[in-house]
Amino acid sequence: MTYTQQQQHSRPASYTPLSAPLYGASAPDAFIRFFKKYATFSGRASRSEYWWWVLVNSIVTILFYLVLGLTSPNGTGEASPGLLIALILLSVWVLVTIVPGVALLVRRLHDANLSGWMALLGLIPLIGGIILLVLVLIGPKPDAQRFDQPRAYRG
């Protein structure tokens, strides 16, 4: 079964299957789908799913860095307990979100009918991030529905 953008706009997020991209996703819907599809590298993700997650992740990360800045030592050379707690929480956040973040990037590339392996372009210093930014801005392509179907076992 295939889903067009028009069909999905008329459905609430709760009725859109996880295997289909949620076009016009709200921030809470994108956040919930991000963690429900934790390590799912197959399928597609809409631009709204992707960019809402980027916004939420950026805000949380900035807040952690603000706390780190406020709790950093003032020339004494000793780390305060608040600094250690903030560092631990930031580390946990990064570890919890890195795998689903890469999976979301791969699904976003799939929605633009691109191979998920193109996410490796981000490893190229400077230019790789710019290329990925351009690629995730590409709109959905009808041919990308091929990523919605699970591959048959080829034994």
Side-chain angles (χ1 to χ4, degrees):
M1 178 179 241
T2 60
Y3 299 91
T4 62
Q5 288 182 5
Q6 292 79 17
Q7 289 172 330
Q8 287 190 346
H9 281 299
S10 63
R11 295 179 180 207
S14 59
Y15 294 125
T16 303
L18 283 175
S19 61
L22 178 60
Y23 296 103
S26 65
D29 290 336
F31 188 81
I32 290 168
R33 287 173 68 92
F34 176 80
F35 283 108
K36 280 187 174 180
K37 297 172 84 169
Y38 191 85
T40 304
F41 290 84
S42 61
R44 298 181 292 153
S46 68
R47 283 188 286 190
S48 58
E49 284 179 78
Y50 180 80
W51 288 110
W52 276 120
W53 171 251
V54 168
L55 178 66
V56 168
N57 188 43
S58 298
I59 290 171
V60 170
T61 304
I62 288 169
L63 289 176
F64 276 125
Y65 278 111
L66 285 174
V67 170
L68 285 172
L70 294 174
T71 59
S72 63
N74 297 328
T76 61
E78 295 181 17
S80 68
L83 176 67
L84 294 176
I85 291 171
L87 277 172
I88 290 170
L89 289 175
L90 176 62
S91 300
V92 168
W93 177 257
V94 169
L95 289 174
V96 166
T97 60
I98 195 156
V99 170
V102 172
L104 180 64
L105 173 62
V106 168
R107 291 192 312 268
R108 178 68 209 115
L109 291 170
H110 285 172
D111 195 42
N113 199 26
L114 299 168
S115 170
W117 288 103
M118 295 190 85
L120 294 176
L121 291 172
L123 298 175
I124 301 171
L126 299 175
I127 192 80
I130 295 169
I131 293 170
L132 274 180
L133 175 64
V134 170
L135 294 179
V136 297
L137 289 172
I138 296 173
K141 305 281 189 216
D143 294 340
Q145 291 179 356
R146 67 188 172 107
F147 292 106
D148 292 342
Q149 306 301 325
R151 292 183 182 212
Y153 174 73
R154 299 177 194 189

